[in-house]
Amino acid sequence: MSHSVIKVPLSAIDQMKMTYSGSLTASVPQGAVFQAKPPGCTITAYKSGKVLFQGKNAAAESARWGTAEPQEKKKTAKKPADPRYVPPANIAGMSVIGSDEVGTGDYFGPMTVVCAYVDKTMLPLMKELGVKDSKDLKDPQIIEIARNLIKTIPYSLLVLKNDKYNSMQEKGMSQGKMKALLHNQAITHLLRKMDGVKPEAILIDQFAEPGVYFNHLKGRDIVKERTYFSTKAEGIHLSVAAASIIARYSFLMEMDKLSREAGMTLPKGAGPHVDEAAAKLILKKGASALRAYTKLHFANTQKAQRLAAKKRS
Ligand code: MG
């Protein structure tokens, strides 16, 4: 049986307890704050900030929260999360705007950012509609849930088409900066739509340190009040899960549209099957066509060009 130990700030222990709220044990060992048994792992968090993970999934589970330090190695000081941006412990029950993005790792298709507002009175309905971590949902379920969500909750959707993405990228803008701009813009739009209704918190699924995020937005109107960041935020508030489902739904619809335009099915991801599809698209429409369908700076572009050249000869 494998095990691993990490040390985290106490605020992170609250967050962990919330994340594992579905698998907490009835009693806790002496000196422990909580014990939880998610699949393949027993987690015990102590008042000292030490957290013990045991079982076959111990390494994977502990990696979500920190780096296990081997006994002999010198401790490397890991920068703790900036407490100003750590979500409050009771955020799960609050009225929250959640924000998430999709399509950043896919060669084909747009980058899509969605933020959605879930009032606390709507939390039970969200559960009833099947809102949960979109990684646990198949595409047909995502489509069904999203179609209900967009009729039920206020949201803002931004689709950064490939042409636009490529020009921004060529001007030297990083993907991180594009994400920051889109999240901030989507949240701004949504707050305007909500017409005076103030969320108790804004929760962004963290893709960069908060300092980096706000730095990207320098010189703009930045939404900063009661704004929090967390990785795996889909598990922290249903508004992020809802945003993620709508974003994925929109991405799927955009991919269908692009596939129809291209006259072939454009695959998701960035693996070898994507190189093959891109090569086929080059042979069909010429290399310049990639601009409207793909994120050109990905390594897939060169691979596809080589494949297409090989097929031509
Ligand atoms: Mg995300």
Side-chain angles (χ1 to χ4, degrees):
M1 190 150 115
S2 62
H3 80 278
S4 98
V5 182
I6 59 170
K7 182 131 199 258
V8 298
L10 290 177
S11 58
I13 288 190
D14 286 337
Q15 201 176 321
M16 290 172 83
K17 188 173 177 185
M18 210 149 42
T19 303
Y20 297 112
S21 60
S23 51
L24 295 176
T25 58
S27 62
V28 297
Q30 192 138 40
V33 181
F34 75 87
Q35 188 171 60
K37 294 190 173 182
C41 191
T42 298
I43 303 166
T44 314
Y46 293 93
K47 288 174 186 145
S48 64
K50 281 212 169 103
V51 187
L52 172 64
F53 297 79
Q54 295 162 293
K56 66 176 163 57
N57 292 341
E61 208 60 51
S62 69
R64 296 173 60 180
W65 301 100
T67 314
E69 287 162 349
Q71 241 79 25
E72 290 86 23
K73 266 201 186 158
K74 214 171 60 185
K75 281 189 179 175
T76 45
K78 198 180 172 279
K79 224 171 75 192
D82 187 329
R84 285 175 297 173
Y85 305 116
V86 174
N90 55 341
I91 195 170
M94 290 181 169
S95 300
V96 176
I97 288 181
S99 197
D100 198 8
E101 81 284 329
V102 154
T104 53
D106 298 276
Y107 180 57
F108 287 109
M111 182 156 134
T112 307
V113 172
V114 171
C115 63
Y117 175 63
V118 175
D119 189 273
K120 57 183 155 205
T121 59
M122 298 289 267
L123 288 166
L125 179 63
M126 291 300 104
K127 280 189 195 142
E128 225 164 278
L129 292 180
V131 174
K132 56 178 165 181
D133 195 329
S134 64
K135 283 162 209 85
D136 299 333
L137 295 168
K138 301 233 160 35
D139 287 351
Q141 294 172 290
I142 286 181
I143 291 168
E144 199 201 319
I145 298 169
R147 285 188 175 148
N148 282 323
L149 282 179
I150 57 181
K151 286 181 278 182
T152 314
I153 54 172
Y155 68 97
S156 167
L157 159 71
L158 292 175
V159 177
L160 181 58
K161 303 239 187 235
N162 294 89
D163 270 328
K164 184 90 186 286
Y165 176 100
N166 287 322
S167 354
M168 288 164 92
Q169 198 278 328
E170 282 153 11
K171 282 183 200 134
M173 195 180 281
S174 68
Q175 213 191 47
K177 177 151 186 168
M178 291 184 223
K179 284 189 220 180
L181 293 175
L182 291 177
H183 277 273
N184 186 60
Q185 200 182 340
I187 294 165
T188 305
H189 288 175
L190 181 55
L191 285 169
R192 204 176 297 147
K193 239 189 209 178
M194 285 164 55
D195 204 19
V197 176
K198 278 247 160 79
E200 292 174 279
I202 296 169
L203 179 59
I204 299 175
D205 189 41
Q206 186 170 336
F207 54 88
E209 290 296 326
V212 175
Y213 173 86
F214 290 119
N215 207 24
H216 282 319
L217 297 172
K218 249 194 208 144
R220 296 167 200 268
D221 286 330
I222 309 175
V223 182
K224 201 169 183 178
E225 202 189 344
R226 279 169 293 183
T227 299
Y228 306 99
F229 296 80
S230 174
T231 54
K232 309 240 174 2
E234 284 176 86
I236 292 177
H237 196 276
L238 287 174
S239 61
V240 183
S244 179
I245 289 170
I246 299 171
R248 181 143 297 277
Y249 167 71
S250 159
F251 181 76
L252 291 172
M253 297 301 114
E254 292 292 331
M255 285 294 270
D256 282 353
K257 203 157 67 182
L258 286 176
S259 293
R260 280 196 299 276
E261 276 169 33
M264 58 178 277
T265 303
L266 303 177
K268 286 173 257 168
H273 64 300
V274 166
D275 302 334
E276 288 289 342
K280 198 171 145 192
L281 188 62
I282 292 173
L283 294 175
K284 249 171 105 98
K285 293 186 175 258
S288 61
L290 291 181
R291 191 172 182 82
Y293 295 92
T294 71
K295 301 180 184 76
L296 276 179
H297 65 114
F298 280 30
N300 303 81
T301 300
Q302 268 72 46
K303 290 183 198 158
Q305 273 166 340
R306 279 199 295 273
L307 279 174
K310 222 185 274 172
K311 284 182 187 180
R312 246 187 237 116
S313 61

